[in-house]
Every structure is written in structure tokens, then in C-alpha cells.
Amino acid sequence: MSERLNIVSWNILYDKGREESGVIERQHDRVASQAKALMELGMDLDAVVLQEVWGQNGDQIAMLTGNEPGSWEQHNRKNEHIGMFGQKIEAVDFHDLGYKKKAAVARIGGLALFGLHLSARPKNYFKRVNQSKSLCELIDLEEEAVIAADFNGPWFEAAQRKLARRGFRPAFAEAGVSERMLYPTEKYRDIILTPRQQRILGNRLVIDNILVRGVTVADAGVFVGDSDHMGGWATIES
């Protein structure tokens, strides 16, 4: 019998400079509303992958949503973490991708779930390329896999093209929905992007995604909470 799983991916925004200057609220002060946004999805939170988690805030969100604490590991910046929690998450392994970035990996039955947050900014393009190479070494032997990621780059960059050549498809396309995880959210657009960047880049970008291989996507969608990133979810059958 196939197993149905709800998988959520969300970068919850940690920006030390803007938080300390008072431009945005500290993440600790946003966790209650972020937990509420997850609860308002109205689904079992089987697996929730979070990026840009400061300190113990991931466990705070987990407990506020009625879940056990998750598994987190520091990467990228001091006290920034990646990881996941959820009703179907029992153990999480962490693998080095290079340049202070790590992949969080959990197994749910025969499914491998990968949580990612690749290096940011255009100048770090080749870092993302090398991180995707490390990812492919981990993922090539997995028949059923889901990648919940902030790629920090568009779909046509090498990182996602490597995965497309390996049979990965966006969960939204597989579900036949037109929604996408757009960045930045309306609340944060003028904070994150200068007017010039908005003119060059357009209204918003797609740098977050949920990719799948070897599974059926029953439904998928996006949501907005207190972050510059939209969250996304996919209900899959493996």
C-alpha cells in the first residue's frame, strides 16, 4: 500500500543585520506567527524542512505546532541552522556540501527527503555548482526522493539542471498547479530589493522549490507567513 505524506519547505528568514537595526523583527519574535501559518495549512505536518533557523527557534516552532523537537545542525553563518521536524521524522543525518553548507537527510520508509539551502548571491554561482555536485553524489542511488530547498538561484542554473537531468521535477508541475514559491514576499519586497534590483529582476523570483523523483504528487501549494520567502508544500504518495 502506498503511503501519503505531507512535506513542507520554508526559509523562515534570519537576517542579523536588519534584525539588529530594527528594520525587521527578530526571528524569535516571529516564531509564533510562523507556527500559526503552518497550522493554518490544515494538514498533518509529516515533515517540515526549515532553512535559516536561528538558535533553537526550529524546536520552538515544532512544539508550537504540537510536534516533538526536530533535528538541526549549524551551517553557513554562526548560529544559523538547517533541519526538519514532523510526525514522520525519526532521525536526520547531515552531510557536508562544501562552503559551510549542509544537507539534512531523513528516511521515511523507502523515501529519502533532502533539506537544502545553497549559497546565496550571483557571485557564488560556482559554489552552488559544486554544492549540487556533492548533492548528486548523495542522491544518485535514491529511487524515491524529495528535495525541499532554497536553491538561491533560478531553475536554469546548473544546480537545478543537474537534478532535472536525473529525473527530478517540480512538485507543483507534477500536481498540475500553477502556484510557485515566489521570492521575496510582498511584505518584504521593498526591504530586500532596491528599486533598481526590482526593475532588473522583475516582480519576484523563483529560487525555492520542492523537487520529486519516483513518487506521485497528489497535490501541492504555497503559503505566506512572516518571512521574505514563501513556503511550499506537497502531498506525495510513495
Side-chain angles (χ1 to χ4, degrees):
M1 179 182 294
S2 64
E3 183 175 15
R4 180 168 281 208
L5 297 168
N6 298 317
I7 296 174
V8 179
S9 180
W10 194 14
N11 181 322
I12 61 172
L13 176 57
Y14 168 50
D15 188 327
K16 180 180 178 181
R18 289 187 174 102
E19 289 179 14
E20 290 182 345
S21 65
V23 174
I24 64 174
E25 284 187 299
R26 294 182 183 273
Q27 189 182 94
H28 181 77
D29 296 324
R30 290 182 275 117
V31 294
S33 66
Q34 290 171 336
K36 182 181 178 182
L38 291 171
M39 294 293 288
E40 288 177 346
L41 293 176
M43 62 176 64
D44 291 337
L45 298 175
D46 296 322
V48 179
V49 175
L50 298 180
Q51 301 99 11
E52 287 195 16
V53 177
W54 185 86
Q56 304 300 313
N57 288 340
D59 284 341
Q60 290 294 319
I61 293 174
M63 290 186 285
L64 286 169
T65 58
N67 286 276
E68 295 295 319
S71 295
W72 317 94
E73 190 150 323
Q74 181 172 302
H75 81 156
N76 195 32
R77 296 169 289 184
K78 183 179 179 181
N79 221 10
E80 177 189 340
H81 299 77
I82 190 167
M84 61 183 81
F85 71 88
Q87 297 173 16
K88 298 292 178 68
I89 300 298
E90 295 181 355
V92 181
D93 296 320
F94 295 89
H95 299 267
D96 185 29
L97 296 178
Y99 308 101
K100 299 182 180 181
K101 290 288 189 175
K102 295 181 180 179
V105 186
R107 297 191 179 278
I108 307 171
L111 173 76
L113 171 61
F114 292 76
L116 305 176
H117 183 199
L118 302 188
S119 294
R121 299 186 179 87
K123 69 179 183 180
N124 289 323
Y125 169 82
F126 288 106
K127 289 184 180 180
R128 291 192 291 277
V129 170
N130 290 328
Q131 288 161 355
S132 67
K133 289 179 180 177
S134 297
L135 171 64
C136 288
E137 292 175 2
L138 293 173
I139 214 165
D140 276 347
L141 297 179
E142 305 292 348
E143 293 185 7
E144 297 182 357
V146 176
I147 302 172
D150 174 357
F151 287 101
N152 267 318
W155 65 268
F156 51 81
E157 271 199 358
Q160 292 191 66
R161 285 192 286 111
K162 285 178 183 294
L163 295 169
R165 289 196 294 269
R166 286 164 168 81
F168 282 92
R169 292 268 295 156
F172 307 100
E174 291 293 285
V177 298
S178 59
E179 294 176 313
R180 298 293 183 268
M181 298 167 70
L182 299 177
Y183 172 85
T185 55
E186 189 67 30
K187 176 180 178 178
Y188 288 91
R189 184 175 61 180
D190 291 340
I191 296 173
I192 301 298
L193 299 178
T194 66
R196 181 173 182 271
Q197 287 173 324
Q198 292 182 39
R199 289 194 300 271
I200 293 172
L201 299 174
N203 187 29
R204 285 185 283 180
L205 308 172
V206 180
I207 60 175
D208 303 271
N209 220 329
I210 300 174
L211 305 180
V212 300
R213 181 175 72 186
V215 299
T216 299
V217 182
D219 200 3
V222 300
F223 64 94
V224 177
D226 202 341
S227 172
D228 56 340
H229 291 252
M230 276 188 173
W233 60 269
T235 299
I236 66 165
E237 295 176 349
S238 63

